Amino acid sequence: MVRANGKTFDYHVPLAIIGAGAAGLVAALAAHEQGEDVLVLERDPLPRGSTALSAGLIPAAATRWQRAAGIADTPEQFAGDILRKAHQEPDALIVDHVTRLAGPTLEWLADRHGLNFSVIEDFSYPGHSARRMHGLASRSGEELIDALRAAVEGSDIPVICDAHVTTLFADDADHVLGLAFTRPDGAVEEVGCDRLILACNGYGGNRSLVSAHIPSLAEATYFGHAGNQGDALLWGEALGASTRHLNGHQGHGSVAHPAGILISWATITEGGFQVNMDGERFSDEAKGYSEQAADVLKQPEGLAWSIFDVRIAAIARQFEDFRRAEAMGVVVTADDLSQLAARMNVPEDALRQIEEQVAACKRGEASDPFGRNFAGSPQLSAPFCAVRVTGALFHTQGGLVVDTAARVLRPDGTPLPNLHAAGGAACGVSGNAASGYLSGNGLLTAVTLGWSAGAGSSAHAVRCPSILGKS
């Protein structure tokens, strides 16, 4: 960040957005709808980012898709789930804001921009008291980011790709004047702006920042976007912004190894379990996939096996990633436990003993030594399935402190003059630990704070349902 009072630029735009993931593209659509001229800058050849690597699922309460499925839910119930999972650490005002805004935002994206969401009805995610995960048909982040990009293109919003923003310019009053970005051929362009939105995610790809703030995953596989180098965090700090919950992150304890494919957590929540390479269980798998990452990494070789059956595989098959894993031969299948143990290369006696213990817990005849509640979980039955997995860091959840208009705040609570942040650039709603991450929190804050940042030039827009297509 460079102080440059009175600096001139090659050209000027009212609103510049750094990053064309879900947060940046939703921000661009919201600002465009308010009549603001927008320029989006993306460092990659095509907008992908962390969104494309996700399952593309966005939690939202009281949506029309839930009502059609007979699912009772409210924003208040959703907010309670977030705060409970995150040990009451997040800012309650932000939690209230994003949980109220999520449903209207998804319906706006559907009505105005043709994103055909549906709600997952056949399994629940840990910590959610209602089935509220919404996604597009393939249940993939790639489809979500492609649909958002198409919406931006259809709105004639300019997106410059292969544009790596390297520098922000600000005056002595912390007012952002503009930025500089580099083209692949080394050419540098300088753009002035009236407003700037940082939507360039967190710092998961920056090993030194991860080591400083999340030492437990310093050596973990990083499953996020390599471009997440912490630029937004560093620029914000240079401008005097407040930061919070920098240890907060989303891990995942179910990334197929060595294929590197995300395996749906339905493999666990629907009654599956994990064992290490010695065939032994080692934790309460159902507590959440985020905190399970560190538990898996503590095992020999940093590996584990997720064990489930063909019934669960049929549920997981709605996810494109799982179908791809099956096509690659990542999912091991077997007619009985003896064959499964042989294909996993784990001791048959150990695996059989664990399966019998889990079955007894499901029947209510035993208590799980790790404290997992198996009540209501169906018994596994042959044919059996297994996937070898590792733990991974997906994205960081701490970041720049923002208000409900996604304005970046100083430590005294006052906003910086013209700087907004959304998605991984902003402090999320997961608190300061992996265990605080409720499934979908990342895309939840990407789309809601993205919309809030984009609509930020109209103060009333944040609370006005009509802006989101409501009557």
Side-chain angles (χ1 to χ4, degrees):
M1 201 279 298
V2 175
R3 299 287 179 181
N5 294 322
K7 180 175 175 58
T8 59
F9 294 89
D10 298 327
Y11 52 96
H12 182 276
V13 295
L15 172 61
I17 300 174
I18 304 176
L25 296 181
V26 170
L29 291 168
H32 178 77
E33 190 155 309
Q34 299 301 306
E36 196 168 13
D37 289 331
V38 184
L39 174 65
V40 182
L41 299 168
E42 168 57 46
R43 67 184 291 163
D44 287 349
L46 191 70
R48 308 298 284 166
S50 296
T51 302
L53 296 170
S54 74
L57 298 179
I58 306 167
T63 68
R64 65 181 185 228
W65 300 285
Q66 286 180 308
R67 289 192 293 273
I71 299 170
D73 196 13
T74 66
E76 293 81 5
Q77 183 178 339
F78 186 12
D81 290 345
I82 289 176
L83 290 168
R84 189 162 40 251
K85 189 71 165 63
H87 323 295
Q88 308 298 318
E89 291 180 345
D91 182 334
L93 287 177
I94 295 294
V95 172
D96 176 75
H97 175 67
V98 300
T99 53
R100 291 183 185 279
L101 191 57
T105 301
L106 294 193
E107 295 187 8
W108 167 70
L109 286 171
D111 295 339
R112 300 288 179 89
H113 301 290
L115 275 71
N116 188 22
F117 290 105
S118 60
V119 65
I120 292 181
E121 301 178 48
D122 53 358
F123 74 95
S124 300
Y125 280 83
H128 285 282
S129 60
R131 290 181 172 174
R132 59 171 71 103
M133 300 296 277
H134 297 70
L136 301 179
S138 68
R139 307 296 194 233
S140 75
E142 291 183 354
E143 184 182 11
L144 176 62
I145 197 68
D146 288 345
L148 289 172
R149 186 182 75 247
V152 166
E153 291 173 350
S155 299
D156 293 324
I157 300 170
V159 179
I160 301 179
C161 293
D162 283 323
H164 183 193
V165 178
T166 58
T167 308
L168 298 191
F169 300 98
D171 63 20
D172 290 337
D174 302 323
H175 188 282
V176 175
L177 302 173
L179 55 88
F181 69 89
T182 303
R183 301 277 195 171
D185 63 2
V188 176
E189 295 182 33
E190 296 182 343
V191 184
C193 60
D194 297 328
R195 270 200 322 137
L196 177 66
I197 297 175
L198 300 176
C200 42
N201 213 283
Y203 55 87
N206 186 319
R207 283 290 182 185
S208 63
L209 288 176
V210 171
S211 296
H213 299 300
I214 314 174
S216 63
L217 295 185
E219 302 302 320
T221 297
Y222 176 53
F223 203 72
H225 187 267
N228 297 339
Q229 293 294 315
D231 295 329
L233 176 65
L234 298 175
W235 288 327
E237 288 180 327
L239 285 165
S242 178
T243 63
R244 185 180 296 154
H245 296 160
L246 294 182
N247 187 55
H249 63 279
Q250 183 217 334
H252 209 297
S254 187
V255 174
H257 180 83
I261 300 174
L262 177 63
I263 302 298
S264 168
W265 204 237
T267 55
I268 301 301
T269 60
E270 283 299 299
F273 58 91
Q274 289 188 328
V275 299
N276 61 22
M277 304 306 284
D278 296 322
E280 300 171 344
R281 275 186 72 225
F282 51 89
S283 67
D284 170 9
E285 310 93 332
K287 62 186 179 296
Y289 57 69
S290 180
E291 55 266 54
Q292 188 69 2
D295 285 338
V296 169
L297 289 169
K298 291 175 185 175
Q299 302 310 302
E301 302 178 56
L303 299 173
W305 286 94
S306 292
I307 298 172
F308 46 104
D309 62 12
V310 291
R311 177 190 65 83
I312 297 174
I315 295 172
R317 203 167 285 127
Q318 68 185 284
F319 293 93
E320 185 175 324
D321 282 340
F322 190 83
R323 297 194 299 272
R324 186 158 57 96
E326 287 187 312
M328 292 178 61
V330 169
V331 181
V332 173
T333 59
D335 294 331
D336 54 41
L337 285 176
S338 177
Q339 187 181 68
L340 186 68
R343 292 182 175 175
M344 293 167 55
N345 195 29
V346 302
E348 180 182 344
D349 290 347
L351 183 60
R352 192 173 296 279
Q353 181 180 6
I354 291 298
E355 195 280 332
E356 291 172 354
Q357 289 175 352
V358 169
C361 290
K362 291 178 178 180
R363 292 192 299 267
E365 298 172 358
S367 297
D368 179 46
F370 299 101
R372 178 172 172 179
N373 180 6
F374 281 100
S377 295
Q379 296 286 357
L380 299 185
S381 59
F384 298 101
C385 304
V387 178
R388 184 172 56 190
V389 299
T390 189
L393 171 65
F394 270 50
H395 53 79
T396 55
Q397 283 286 290
L400 303 176
V401 177
V402 298
D403 62 11
T404 56
R407 299 179 299 178
V408 177
L409 304 180
R410 300 183 177 95
D412 65 2
T414 60
L416 288 164
N418 63 338
L419 184 65
H420 294 72
C427 180
V429 291
S430 300
N432 204 40
S435 61
Y437 186 84
L438 185 69
S439 301
N441 272 2
L443 280 173
L444 167 68
T445 54
V447 300
T448 55
L449 293 179
W451 189 89
S452 300
S457 58
S458 299
H460 71 284
V462 174
R463 291 293 183 180
C464 181
S466 64
I467 299 286
L468 293 176
K470 299 286 186 178
S471 58

